[in-house]
Amino acid sequence: MTDPKTLARRNLIVEALRGAPDANTTTPDLHTMFTPSSHREALAPDVTVVRGARGTGKTYWAKALTDPVLREVAARSYIMPRLSHTEVLTAFGLNGGDEPVFPGKRAIASLVQDFGKEDNLEPKDLWSAVVLMALKVPQVVALDSWIERIRWTARNGDAYESALRKADREAREQNKTLILLFDDLDHLHSERRHIDLLLSGLFEVALELRLSTTALRAKIFVRPDMYDSAPRNFADASKLDANAADLSWSRENLYGLFFHQLGNHASDQAKAFRDSTEGKWRFEEGRHIAPVEVLADQKAQERLFVTLAGPFMGTDRRKGHTYTWIPNHLQDGLGRISPRTLLSTLRKAAQITAEAHATHPLPLYYEAIRESLSHAANTRVRELEDDLAWAALSIKLLSGTQVPMEPSNVQYAWSSGGFSAELRKVLEGEKAGSGPQHPDSPVALLAELETLGVVTYRTNGSVDLPDIYRLAFNIGRKGGVKRSKV
């Protein structure tokens, strides 16, 4: 019979991580708010661009920053007094409210057709109009359509600058910084060239705010590949890099988040978990804060994780250590792992253990962890299909093959699978996400896939795939993790 404590700990993992797969639709709360040290710079008011891959926390922080209570907790956790004196307005994103100050995707698709025509409108004019709407400038708010607002802004440069000076002065008088927040930019348009131009205009407007005002700031959450591909041929564009930060997650941060979620669940099991760890947790600002050993010490973290999953991914060390095996197999080609992927994998492993290995003496069985990897891969590929449908298509056409393979074999699989025709269909769909920069060049496509972390190259020049993508498309690798049949 399984120890009741093991069953309780297994149930804690399932329940505490319940919201992990739905991070975009889950509202941040005080109990589960986690503040990794590596994210401090991203929240600084003067940082204009925050780069983060899918699932790294862009939307989480965008939502948290608009919540005065959570923003204050972040300010104190990061010892950032200026963040306590900020007001954050959503200028574009999921958290725009009932009456957003920005146009929707269909409106943007229509507006793009007017750029460069008789009015000489540019993407910069669109974002300038959004800024005025966020600042509630009466002349702009009173207009009935976005094309009218954009035209008014483009024709009234003096009024635009006057409105910025007024808002800047009022913010300074109130001793605060006003942050205009931009998120959910992945689906601005189905064509990559239009996304690039739209982002270029946004970056230009945001940098102007940074350089021309004291108390007005923009904060743009964006994927790294989108940031890199947007042209920056405007004045002082090089200064944008100096005002950018990345949402990165180290292995210690990821496990620290996992333990934080377990320790902050509203249950007796969470208290028992806190009592079982090295060091003493402290209760602060409505949440339990783990000791530094649990948050940042690899050896202490591994000792704690071993109590949940055992030391090895088999009967001995030859199959790998659980603490390192999991992140090693969840990372993409750039070594990145999203916290959502890690948490959903561990939750699935706990569920599989409960359903198929209920008598196992530990909360997580190594075979269940191995099986959960395919679940994680399927989830990650669905995200890839949402963000970069063309990239998912390119790997799907390799189904049934084995890596590593020569680049010429990849290109042959694309050609025989009708990649060009299928790519056109994908890019015409409403949910295509952003397209490739050079859709007609197989060499450029492979290079872009490498930049995105979807493929990697061996030292001999052959193409390989990280498990997080390989398993979902039934692509083999000699000696690699097998796809689960569950």
Side-chain angles (χ1 to χ4, degrees):
M1 182 177 179
T2 306
D3 186 342
K5 292 182 180 179
T6 296
L7 297 177
R9 190 68 59 85
R10 190 178 295 156
N11 184 66
L12 173 63
I13 295 172
V14 173
E15 294 302 319
L17 307 184
R18 183 173 294 279
D22 304 309
N24 276 358
T25 58
T26 301
T27 302
D29 64 71
L30 194 59
H31 300 291
T32 58
M33 184 176 181
F34 183 64
T35 49
S37 57
S38 58
H39 289 193
R40 185 182 190 279
E41 185 179 1
L43 301 192
D46 281 336
V47 168
T48 303
V49 175
V50 180
R51 296 172 296 225
R54 177 73 175 262
T56 55
K58 297 191 300 297
T59 296
Y60 179 92
W61 281 122
K63 290 180 178 180
L65 285 175
T66 59
D67 185 310
V69 174
L70 299 183
R71 189 167 65 244
E72 181 61 28
V73 171
R76 287 199 287 267
S77 296
Y78 287 125
I79 315 176
M80 194 183 294
R82 190 177 170 197
L83 192 59
S84 296
H85 300 283
T86 63
E87 179 182 352
V88 180
L89 302 175
T90 300
F92 193 91
L94 295 171
N95 202 30
D98 295 333
E99 297 183 7
V101 299
F102 52 87
K105 181 178 178 180
R106 291 187 179 181
I108 290 176
S110 176
L111 292 168
V112 163
Q113 306 305 315
D114 292 304
F115 293 156
K117 292 186 177 179
E118 62 271 13
D119 290 316
N120 289 319
L121 298 179
E122 301 176 353
K124 175 184 176 181
D125 300 319
L126 183 157
W127 298 113
S128 297
V130 168
V131 168
L132 295 185
M133 284 290 288
L135 297 177
K136 295 182 172 59
V137 175
Q139 302 97 308
V140 178
V141 173
L143 297 174
D144 294 327
S145 68
W146 273 101
I147 190 62
E148 290 180 274
R149 292 166 184 156
I150 296 170
R151 284 172 178 160
W152 188 94
T153 304
R155 295 168 181 169
N156 294 274
D158 288 344
Y160 174 76
E161 293 176 356
S162 177
L164 295 188
R165 287 194 298 269
K166 179 176 181 294
D168 187 37
R169 182 175 62 253
E170 291 175 350
R172 283 187 280 108
E173 290 172 351
Q174 297 173 40
N175 189 34
K176 71 180 182 182
T177 300
L178 181 60
I179 296 177
L180 304 181
L181 191 146
F182 299 82
D183 182 39
D184 194 37
L185 298 167
D186 301 39
H187 299 91
L188 279 173
H189 200 279
S190 60
E191 292 187 37
R192 184 59 174 262
R193 62 188 180 93
H194 288 310
I195 289 182
D196 287 347
L197 293 175
L198 286 165
L199 286 180
S200 178
L202 175 56
F203 292 155
E204 184 174 1
V205 169
L207 187 60
E208 285 180 355
L209 284 179
R210 175 73 176 83
L211 299 177
S212 64
T213 70
T214 302
L216 301 184
R217 295 291 182 264
K219 188 172 289 291
I220 303 167
F221 291 90
V222 65
R223 291 201 325 254
D225 62 293
M226 295 173 66
Y227 176 77
D228 291 338
S229 67
R232 293 194 283 278
N233 50 9
F234 46 84
D236 296 314
S238 60
K239 294 182 180 179
L240 202 61
D241 287 337
N243 293 289
D246 296 290
L247 289 177
S248 60
W249 287 84
S250 66
R251 183 171 61 192
E252 294 79 16
N253 286 159
L254 289 166
Y255 277 109
L257 172 63
F258 170 57
F259 298 139
H260 178 87
Q261 301 302 308
L262 299 188
N264 277 277
H265 188 249
S267 65
D268 292 338
Q269 295 100 315
K271 182 180 184 306
F273 172 75
R274 294 194 301 271
D275 292 342
S276 71
T277 65
E278 298 179 25
K280 186 176 181 180
W281 293 59
R282 68 182 192 276
F283 189 73
E284 187 176 285
E285 298 175 324
R287 58 186 179 146
H288 296 279
I289 307 297
V292 67
E293 296 91 340
V294 173
L295 295 178
D297 185 279
Q298 286 188 22
K299 292 187 180 299
Q301 284 188 335
E302 184 167 11
R303 287 193 294 269
L304 178 55
F305 192 69
V306 164
T307 67
L308 301 176
F312 309 125
M313 286 298 297
T315 56
D316 56 42
R317 69 182 64 193
R318 288 177 297 177
K319 294 292 185 179
H321 295 258
T322 54
Y323 177 76
T324 54
W325 189 95
I326 295 172
N328 286 346
H329 286 78
L330 290 178
Q331 65 187 7
D332 69 3
L334 300 175
R336 301 174 305 194
I337 310 168
S338 78
R340 186 186 314 167
T341 301
L342 178 82
L343 297 183
S344 62
T345 298
L346 293 173
R347 183 173 189 268
K348 185 65 174 180
Q351 290 177 315
I352 295 175
T353 303
E355 294 166 3
H357 313 282
T359 59
H360 187 67
L362 292 173
L364 300 173
Y365 182 40
Y366 57 79
E367 288 295 350
I369 294 174
R370 203 180 301 275
E371 290 177 27
S372 70
L373 191 62
S374 290
H375 165 77
N378 289 332
T379 300
R380 182 67 192 96
V381 164
R382 285 196 294 272
E383 294 175 345
L384 187 67
E385 289 171 339
D386 287 342
D387 294 342
L388 298 158
W390 74 268
L393 171 65
S394 71
I395 305 305
K396 183 178 181 180
L397 292 177
L398 303 180
S399 178
T401 62
Q402 181 171 302
V403 290
M405 66 173 67
E406 293 300 314
S408 59
N409 291 337
V410 175
Q411 295 172 19
Y412 175 77
W414 287 350
S415 176
S416 59
F419 180 55
S420 296
E422 291 299 318
L423 178 59
R424 284 194 295 272
K425 293 178 183 178
V426 164
L427 296 180
E428 290 170 0
E430 288 189 7
K431 297 182 179 181
S434 52
Q437 293 175 285
H438 305 287
D440 298 321
S441 170
V443 173
L445 286 169
L446 264 176
E448 189 168 353
L449 289 172
E450 182 188 21
T451 301
L452 294 169
V454 176
V455 306
T456 60
Y457 280 91
R458 295 285 185 96
T459 54
N460 63 1
S462 58
V463 176
D464 204 347
L465 285 171
D467 284 341
I468 198 64
Y469 294 121
R470 181 182 66 82
L471 291 173
F473 289 115
N474 192 32
I475 298 171
R477 180 192 292 124
K478 187 176 181 180
V481 177
K482 295 181 180 178
R483 178 173 173 77
S484 171
K485 297 180 181 179
V486 177

